[in-house]
Amino acid sequence: MRLNPQRLLPPEHRCYYLYGEDQDALFEAGEQLLAAGDSAAVRLRVDISELARIEEASRNRGLFGPSICYAMVRNAQSANPKQSDHLIRMIGSVAAENRLIICAPGIEWRKALHKKLQAEKSLPQCEFSVPDTASFTRWLEGEIERAGLQLAPETLPWLGERLRGMRQAARQLIARLVCYENGQRELLSLDVVGELLGERAPGALEEWCHAVAMRQGQALGMTRRLIEETQVAEVQMISWLGTRLQQLLMYCWYQSRHERNPLQAAKVFGEARTKVTEEARCWRAAELTAAIRRVADAELLIKGASLEEKPVVIERLVLDLVAPQRLRV
């Protein structure tokens, strides 16, 4: 049973199979299916190796009767033959009040599990293909309008081409634009949007990001030179560094799940593709999470939440990221 991505809600079935190359849209739909329904339901997000957790939660009768269980399997594409068979058996045993959402981003059509799931005629299936530039630009336009932003006419098509399919990156950019615009209802030019996206930065900015990601002491001196000599805007530095750390975190997550191509799954782009693998060895997962929070805090300070000089905020941020034991994990 094939479903249209725009018509998944409200949920009408007990099982769903979501697959395709547009990972951001796929997981967004999965989260919506997981959130919809009984507010008292138990909601689980599990890996393919944790199917027993779903069965245990589904069988739990609880003190006041059986509990409703909604579960999402995040990485069915990584299933081994034993896990595939287990998942197929579960599909036929999901109770009417429960919900099972199977997500398989980037699964190969030749894989045995994909063929078996597609052969399940009663299983609702939805493919998320990478959107074309026009449809993604329409989606992006809606997000920008909801955020209350006004962009110069040439900016929206330019963004649609560069961010096509990357919904998470688009939302991060919109959040930065909202902070930058700060409720002034100003028309944001292509130059401003380009700088916040990182398209108008000098090559030295990429070198700085790499030095910070490698946790090298020289990154502090590079920070001063970028601000004083190259005169890169602090907000642009924050934008680039935040994006790089997000890429590192996603790469580490997919790598820990033994993803076939973690760089592609994490949607690492640009020069970072040749550096992220090396940079990831310098961080523990908890450190990366703390670093991203630290960057978010610094971004608020840069946008006016502090009376401190912006260069001081950036330098202290870099020191916290590269110096041992300064991150609170």
Side-chain angles (χ1 to χ4, degrees):
M1 183 191 308
R2 297 295 295 270
L3 299 178
N4 188 309
Q6 282 74 42
R7 297 187 177 179
L8 287 176
L9 296 176
E12 299 177 352
H13 308 280
R14 65 185 69 179
C15 288
Y16 290 87
Y17 176 42
L18 313 181
Y19 65 95
E21 297 297 330
D22 191 352
Q23 297 187 30
D24 285 355
L26 188 155
F27 282 119
E28 183 177 294
E31 288 290 342
Q32 290 173 345
L33 287 170
L34 191 65
D38 194 323
S39 60
V42 174
R43 289 173 166 82
L44 299 177
R45 298 171 181 82
V46 305
D47 292 336
I48 191 63
S49 60
E50 302 172 301
L51 296 179
R53 287 182 57 198
I54 301 177
E55 293 179 321
E56 181 180 356
S58 301
R59 290 194 301 264
N60 180 21
R61 300 197 60 81
L63 183 61
F64 303 103
S67 60
I68 299 173
C69 178
Y70 300 157
M72 180 170 71
V73 180
R74 295 175 292 197
N75 61 335
Q77 75 280 5
S78 302
N80 59 36
K82 185 176 180 180
Q83 292 164 344
S84 297
D85 292 340
H86 190 175
L87 186 61
I88 294 292
R89 290 196 303 272
M90 286 180 63
I91 291 173
S93 63
V94 177
E97 67 274 11
N98 294 338
R99 189 176 305 146
L100 176 63
I101 306 155
I102 304 167
C103 297
I107 193 168
E108 295 183 3
W109 66 270
R110 292 172 294 183
K111 190 158 186 175
L113 174 61
H114 184 58
K115 293 181 178 179
K116 289 179 181 179
L117 290 172
Q118 286 200 313
E120 295 282 334
K121 301 300 182 183
S122 60
L123 175 64
Q125 306 174 22
C126 187
E127 181 177 6
F128 291 82
S129 303
V130 176
D132 57 34
T133 301
S135 60
F136 183 79
T137 302
R138 286 194 297 271
W139 172 85
L140 183 59
E141 184 177 16
E143 294 295 308
I144 290 171
E145 288 179 357
R146 277 188 285 275
L149 295 171
Q150 299 182 55
L151 272 58
E154 69 275 12
T155 305
L156 185 62
W158 181 84
L159 279 176
E161 291 179 2
R162 281 155 180 77
L163 293 176
R164 181 167 64 92
M166 295 189 290
R167 296 189 180 210
Q168 184 178 358
R171 288 199 172 101
Q172 289 174 349
L173 174 64
I174 290 171
R176 292 191 180 104
L177 290 172
V178 169
C179 289
Y180 178 89
E181 194 259 356
N182 197 27
Q184 299 300 312
R185 302 296 178 184
E186 296 179 353
L187 187 69
L188 299 175
S189 68
L190 179 58
D191 286 339
V192 168
V193 176
E195 285 191 3
L196 289 173
L197 182 60
E199 292 285 335
R200 305 296 176 84
L205 190 52
E206 169 59 34
E207 296 177 10
W208 172 74
C209 282
H210 180 59
V212 176
M214 291 295 294
R215 312 186 83 172
Q216 298 172 346
Q218 65 182 8
L220 197 58
M222 295 170 70
T223 304
R224 296 192 186 99
R225 288 194 295 273
L226 276 173
I227 295 173
E228 296 172 5
E229 299 175 13
T230 316
Q231 296 188 340
V232 175
E234 290 86 355
V235 69
Q236 189 175 0
M237 297 173 71
I238 286 283
S239 174
W240 269 57
L241 187 56
T243 299
R244 184 60 142 262
L245 292 176
Q246 289 279 2
Q247 290 174 330
L248 277 171
L249 183 62
M250 293 304 298
Y251 170 81
C252 290
W253 189 87
Y254 281 111
Q255 188 182 48
S256 71
R257 297 298 185 269
H258 307 291
E259 183 71 29
R260 179 169 49 86
N261 189 338
L263 278 174
Q264 181 179 353
K267 295 191 175 179
V268 180
F269 55 89
E271 291 189 41
R273 291 185 65 86
T274 63
K275 300 173 181 177
V276 159
T277 302
E278 180 185 14
E279 293 167 356
R281 301 190 188 104
C282 302
W283 301 85
R284 291 182 291 116
E287 289 178 324
L288 272 175
T289 303
I292 290 171
R293 287 198 302 266
R294 181 69 183 82
V295 170
D297 292 341
E299 185 169 12
L300 291 176
L301 297 177
I302 289 293
K303 300 294 176 54
S306 173
L307 296 177
E308 283 186 299
E309 294 290 334
K310 293 179 182 180
V312 175
V313 174
I314 294 289
E315 288 182 8
R316 190 169 63 248
L317 167 65
V318 172
L319 182 60
D320 287 345
L321 296 181
V322 304
Q325 308 301 323
R326 285 185 64 95
L327 276 176
R328 296 180 181 179
V329 177

